[in-house]
Every structure is written in structure tokens, then in C-alpha cells.
Amino acid sequence: MEMPKPTDAHRRFENMAGNWRGAETLFPSPWDPNGGTATGQTKSRVALDGFTMIGDYQQERNGVVTFRGHSVWTYDVKDQNYVMYWWDNMGSAVNVFRGNFDGDKLTMNCTDYSGNWRLTYDYSNPDTLKSKMEMSQDGQNWAPFFEGEYHRVAAEEPKPAPAAAPAAAKAKKPIKKKPAIKKAAKVMKKKPAKPMKKKAKAKRR
């Protein structure tokens, strides 16, 4: 049996994936009455032999991470549309967005307990990603929720682990030299030499 292969629709994930970072504008909403600006970053990669794309998103405001999200993308061959499953640190159930491309723009919609959401991605520039999200209570009148423009950035290389400190050499115990044993000098007593006996001269007869 031949295994399924990714379609041309799945292969679009290859251009969508990457590391994206850029500025965001947040419009006043029930969740943020004053709105403001933030920095958003998404790291996404193609997975499962090209059938899905997995992404991790975080938002920073004043140097502090204030929002995190996780997404899993696929293409529904039966319904012929893109599907994104989204979880975030707000603690709500998974949100499911569905939509399609019109040229290089992907528009997706989701309905949950808080209303209707419309998310648009513009991939017309390979190194710049523009996105915006809109919200609506009736699905007819839409208000901006946020807009962002992100640029493709190089992947951060993992920092090399610090080199392990060389093991301290074991201190060798100094070899203690045994103190030299002083031998008492032996006084050699010399015996007095015996006097030589003179041989008597033989008398002449």
C-alpha cells in the first residue's frame, strides 16, 4: 500500500514556517481597554512528513512576556480548507480556525463563547508577514483587535555548554624520607705491636 503524500496545499507550509518577529498594535477591547503596542514572535516548523505545521507564539510588553500561544496547522483534504487548532495561556478550550488562500492572503474564521473572530495572514513578501485579527458579535460588523508586521529572523543557535572544569589532580603525598640512622662510630682499639726479637748471632767456634 502506497503511503499518502502531502498535496500542493500542504507544501505551502514550507513558506509559512520560520522564525518571525515584529511590532504589533493592540486596539482597545474588553480585554485591554487602553490598547497599546507589543512585540510578537512566532517560531513554527513543518512536521509529520509535511502534513502539519507546529507553531509557538509569545507577546512581550515592556520587556515582559504577557501572552503565549501554541498552534497546530493542517489541510483538510475532504473539506478543502486549512485548519488551525489554537491553545493559549488564557486557559480556554481549543479554538478551531478554518479558511483558505486568496492569492497570497490566507483568511480564517472561528466562533467561540466570546464571539466571532477573523484572522488574516499576508504572505505576499517572502521575508515579511503581515497579520490582523478582527472581532464581531454578530458576524456582520467587524472591529480591529490587533495588527502586526513581522520579519523573518535567523534561528537562534543553541549556546554551547560550558566546558567541564578539568578534574583536580590528586595531590601526591610527599614521600617521607626515613631519617638516616646515625651509627655510633666504633672506636677500633689497636693492639700494641709486639717487639721484634733479635736473633742471636751464632758464635764462631
Side-chain angles (χ1 to χ4, degrees):
M1 177 179 175
E2 186 177 358
M3 295 295 291
K5 295 181 180 179
T7 65
D8 289 340
H10 291 101
R11 279 189 278 273
R12 297 197 78 151
F13 291 144
E14 297 174 6
N15 295 325
M16 297 164 63
N19 296 321
W20 302 92
R21 183 178 178 87
E24 297 177 336
T25 299
L26 310 176
F27 297 94
S29 69
W31 296 271
D32 189 353
N34 297 321
T37 59
T39 299
Q41 181 167 344
T42 298
K43 296 181 180 181
S44 54
R45 59 185 176 85
V46 178
L48 298 179
D49 298 327
F51 284 100
T52 63
M53 182 174 70
I54 299 173
D56 288 295
Y57 167 84
Q58 72 176 28
Q59 183 185 84
E60 295 181 17
R61 302 184 74 173
N62 299 320
V64 178
V65 176
T66 55
F67 185 67
R68 299 179 191 272
H70 177 76
S71 61
V72 177
W73 300 64
T74 188
Y75 182 75
D76 189 330
V77 177
K78 181 180 178 181
D79 291 340
Q80 295 189 347
N81 56 30
Y82 288 88
V83 186
M84 180 184 70
Y85 299 92
W86 174 266
W87 297 263
D88 56 45
N89 61 347
M90 299 299 288
S92 57
V94 60
N95 293 115
V96 182
F97 289 79
R98 287 181 176 268
N100 263 312
F101 275 94
D102 180 8
D104 291 320
K105 292 183 179 180
L106 172 62
T107 302
M108 311 185 81
N109 291 276
C110 171
T111 300
D112 65 7
Y113 68 93
S114 60
N116 300 281
W117 301 90
R118 183 164 63 194
L119 182 59
T120 304
Y121 292 98
D122 184 351
Y123 291 97
S124 56
N125 187 323
D127 294 320
T128 301
L129 168 62
K130 294 181 180 180
S131 72
K132 67 177 180 179
M133 178 175 277
E134 302 164 282
M135 58 183 178
S136 172
Q137 292 299 316
D138 57 10
Q140 299 295 325
N141 300 300
W142 295 89
F145 185 69
F146 83 83
E147 291 182 354
E149 181 172 324
Y150 314 90
H151 301 281
R152 195 183 292 274
V153 296
E156 297 179 0
E157 296 184 0
K159 296 180 180 179
K170 293 183 178 180
K172 294 183 178 180
K173 295 182 179 180
I175 299 175
K176 294 182 179 180
K177 294 183 179 180
K178 294 182 179 181
I181 300 175
K182 294 181 179 181
K183 295 182 179 181
K186 293 182 179 180
V187 179
M188 300 296 294
K189 295 182 179 181
K190 295 182 179 181
K191 295 181 179 181
K194 294 180 179 181
M196 297 292 293
K197 292 182 178 180
K198 294 182 179 181
K199 293 182 179 181
K201 292 182 179 180
K203 294 181 179 181
R204 291 181 181 179
R205 292 182 179 176

